[in-house]
Amino acid sequence: PTSGALAPPAWARDAVSAWPWRGGLEPCGDHPMRVLRPDAVTGSIPEDLRGSLFRVGPGRCRVGDAKYAHWFDGDGAVFACSFESDENKNDTKEKGVTIRAGIKFVRTSRFTAQERFGVDKGVAVRGAWTQADERNFPFANLFRFPTNPSNTAPLVHSGELLALCEGGAPVRIDKRTLATLDDPGTKNEQKSVFKESAGRRLPMGFSAHAKKDGTDGSLYTWGLAAPPAIGVQVARISATGEVTHVVDLPLCAGDLDGSGSGLNALSPERLEFTLIHDCAMSKEHLVFVVPPWRLKPGLDGKLAKALLGATSFGHAFEWDDTKGAWLVVLRKSDLSVVAARETKQMSAYHFCGARDAFDEEKKKDVRRFGGRASRSSRRLGSALRGHVLQHVGGGWVQHTSRVRDRLKNGRVTLGRAVRATRETRVVNGARLRLCRWRAPDGVPGR
C-alpha cells in the first residue's frame, strides 16, 4: 500500500524495490475471513477437499521505522483457508463448496500494549531478541522477561485452535473468525484449555512444536519450568486436555543418578538457559537433541545482564565448542528416561520424526532437515560426514543425516550412513538430486 497505516516508509519501499522478497517481511494487517471472489480459484476443486488449513507466523516485523532485531520476535498472525460444503452455487463459481480465507493478528498482551502506545515511538515491549526503546519507554526492559509473540505454529487440541510459541502459553483462536479468545494479559492462559492439578503444573514455556500422537490423541510439550522450579520440563496431556505427567528433562550427566535414568535434585547446568525448539517422536518414544547453545551463569555476566534487561536473551547465548550435543530419549507412556548421553557436536532445530524398530536391538532413526547451502558447502562436506550437502543452482537444498541411536545396555552409539547411489531428476522444471544411502548394517534409506 502507498497510503494508510500499512504504508511502508521510504527506506522499506526502496528495500522491497531492490529485493522483492523483502516485501514478505512487511506488516500484513488484518483481513477478516470472507468468501473468495471467483477469480481467486484456478482450475477445479476436488470434490472430497473439505476442511480448514491454519498457518501461524510473524505478521509484523517492524513497528513504524523500528525493525525487530529478529523475525522470531515478529507479532503473530493466524491465516486460515476453509473449504466448506454448500449445496448451492456461490460466488466462488464452484458448485458445492464455499471457500473462505483471512488473516488476523493474535491479540497478545505485547501486541495490545504496542497498539496502545502507537508505532511512532518505536518498540514498546521487550522480545527475546529485541529490546524495547528505553529512550521513549524508560525501564521497559528492567527485570522484564521476554514477551510471547505467539507466532510459530497452530495446533488443534480438545476442540480448540491454539497459536503456539515457546515464549509463553498457547493462545486460543476462534476457528471461524480468527478472533483471539484469551483476554490480553491473562495470566496462565493455558488453564483455559488444559486441566492441571497439584503436582502436575505445566511448564512456564509451551513448545512451538508440541507433538500430538495420532493414535490416542495425547499431546507432548516442553519448556522452561515455572519458578521456583528451574531447568526444562516435559509434559503429557491427554486427548481431553488433562495434564497427566510432568517431569524434569535431564540436561547433563550431573542430572542423572547412578542408574543413568533417575534424576538428581540439582546440578549446576540446570541453572543454564537452553532452547529446545523441536523433538522427534516415534510410536513409543520422544527423542531430544540439545545443542551446546546455552546461556550460562559466569564471570562474563551475560546471564545476569539478560535477566536484568540490559541485553537481550537471544544475543546472550553462546556456542560451547568444548561439548557435544546432549541426547535424551523418553518413554512416552510415563516420560521415564530410557537413555541420556552426550553425542557428537551438532546443531538441531527441526525434526521430521522417528521410528522404532524391534529386532536384535532397539534402534531409533532420526532424520534431520537443514537450511540453505552456502558457497562453502563443499568445504564443509568433510566436516559434516553423513549429511547430504548438494548445491543445486545456488538454491535451497536439503541436508539429510541419519543418526542411529542403539539403545542397548544403557549405551548410545551413533552410526553413519554411506552413500550408495545418486541420481538427478527434473520435476516441474526444477533439477533435484537424490541420493540413496545405506547404513553400515546394509539398511537402505533415501
Side-chain angles (χ1 to χ4, degrees):
T2 57
S3 61
L6 295 179
W11 63 263
R13 290 198 301 271
D14 292 342
V16 174
S17 178
W19 304 286
W21 59 264
R22 177 64 176 76
L25 300 177
E26 285 300 293
C28 63
D30 284 329
H31 301 274
M33 292 287 290
R34 61 177 178 82
V35 176
L36 296 186
R37 298 179 313 202
D39 58 3
V41 178
T42 301
S44 299
I45 299 172
E47 294 183 1
D48 58 350
L49 180 60
R50 298 294 184 272
S52 297
L53 169 70
F54 299 101
R55 300 298 299 270
V56 173
R60 179 172 69 179
C61 293
R62 66 169 175 83
V63 176
D65 280 337
K67 293 189 294 183
Y68 289 142
H70 200 297
W71 60 11
F72 288 176
D73 280 333
D75 294 296
V78 182
F79 166 82
C81 182
S82 66
F83 299 83
E84 304 166 2
S85 296
D86 186 356
E87 297 300 327
N88 302 314
K89 191 171 181 177
N90 53 71
D91 293 337
T92 56
K93 78 179 181 182
E94 288 289 334
K95 187 174 182 180
V97 61
T98 296
I99 309 171
R100 302 170 65 249
I103 185 170
K104 276 191 176 181
F105 280 110
V106 183
R107 262 59 184 181
T108 60
S109 57
R110 60 171 273 156
F111 181 87
T112 53
Q114 186 68 61
E115 293 295 285
R116 185 169 62 253
F117 290 119
V119 300
D120 296 333
K121 295 182 179 181
V123 179
V125 291
R126 188 187 190 198
W129 282 266
T130 307
Q131 297 286 89
D133 189 343
E134 292 194 344
R135 296 171 299 178
N136 297 314
F137 305 99
F139 310 113
N141 299 307
L142 185 63
F143 298 121
R144 305 271 184 165
F145 205 74
T147 50
N148 177 23
S150 196
N151 66 3
T152 311
L155 173 72
V156 176
H157 192 72
S158 300
E160 300 276 8
L161 172 62
L162 308 173
L164 304 183
C165 177
E166 50 246 314
V171 177
R172 294 185 304 150
I173 303 296
D174 188 293
K175 287 184 283 188
R176 184 75 179 172
T177 66
L178 303 185
T180 302
L181 299 178
D182 289 312
D183 293 332
T186 301
K187 200 170 184 178
N188 296 326
E189 289 136 326
Q190 68 261 40
K191 291 184 178 179
S192 62
V193 182
F194 306 120
K195 307 176 185 70
E196 299 176 307
S197 59
R200 295 175 181 172
R201 303 291 182 185
L202 286 171
M204 177 175 64
F206 198 96
S207 173
H209 293 293
K211 299 299 182 184
K212 190 168 184 177
D213 192 316
T215 57
D216 63 4
S218 294
L219 181 67
Y220 299 89
T221 185
W222 56 92
L224 289 175
I230 58 175
V232 174
Q233 292 181 323
V234 182
R236 181 179 184 271
I237 303 169
S238 72
T240 57
E242 180 184 0
V243 180
T244 62
H245 297 77
V246 179
V247 302
D248 292 322
L249 186 70
L251 296 176
C252 61
D255 284 348
L256 301 170
D257 61 15
S259 69
S261 60
L263 292 177
N264 288 327
L266 182 64
S267 67
E269 291 189 51
R270 292 185 67 78
L271 299 175
E272 301 174 0
F273 282 81
T274 187
L275 174 63
I276 305 176
H277 186 67
D278 197 3
C279 83
M281 182 176 71
S282 70
K283 182 179 179 181
E284 297 187 9
H285 298 91
L286 301 174
V287 183
F288 294 88
V289 179
V290 186
W293 181 255
R294 301 193 180 190
L295 175 54
K296 306 178 181 181
L299 297 178
D300 58 9
K302 288 189 175 182
L303 177 56
K305 291 177 182 177
L307 290 171
L308 288 172
T311 187
S312 76
F313 271 87
H315 291 106
F317 276 68
E318 288 188 338
W319 183 270
D320 189 345
D321 280 325
T322 67
K323 293 187 176 181
W326 183 250
L327 178 72
V328 185
V329 181
L330 300 183
R331 187 174 288 106
K332 288 166 59 178
S333 59
D334 58 3
L335 298 186
S336 59
V337 178
V338 177
R341 295 287 187 275
E342 184 172 328
T343 182
K344 67 178 183 178
Q345 195 173 82
M346 69 176 78
S347 178
Y349 209 62
H350 291 115
F351 294 89
C352 176
R355 67 178 176 86
D356 297 314
F358 298 94
D359 40 32
E360 295 180 359
E361 54 188 352
K362 188 176 295 183
K363 301 175 183 177
K364 187 74 62 184
D365 286 344
V366 181
R367 297 181 183 270
R368 294 194 290 109
F369 293 85
R372 186 179 175 87
S374 66
R375 293 179 180 178
S376 60
S377 290
R378 293 181 179 87
R379 294 196 298 272
L380 288 173
S382 60
L384 297 175
R385 287 186 296 258
H387 288 250
V388 179
L389 285 174
Q390 301 293 348
H391 195 273
V392 182
W396 290 87
V397 301
Q398 176 176 289
H399 301 187
T400 306
S401 107
R402 171 171 293 183
V403 179
R404 266 187 338 178
D405 303 330
R406 297 175 181 262
L407 310 178
K408 185 177 182 181
N409 300 324
R411 298 178 56 191
V412 177
T413 59
L414 301 177
R416 290 194 182 123
V418 180
R419 189 173 67 194
T421 62
R422 184 175 68 184
E423 60 182 292
T424 300
R425 294 181 184 178
V426 177
V427 181
N428 294 331
R431 184 160 60 96
L432 303 179
R433 187 168 295 169
L434 306 178
C435 297
R436 182 176 294 277
W437 297 76
R438 60 175 177 82
D441 57 7
V443 179
R446 193 165 190 169

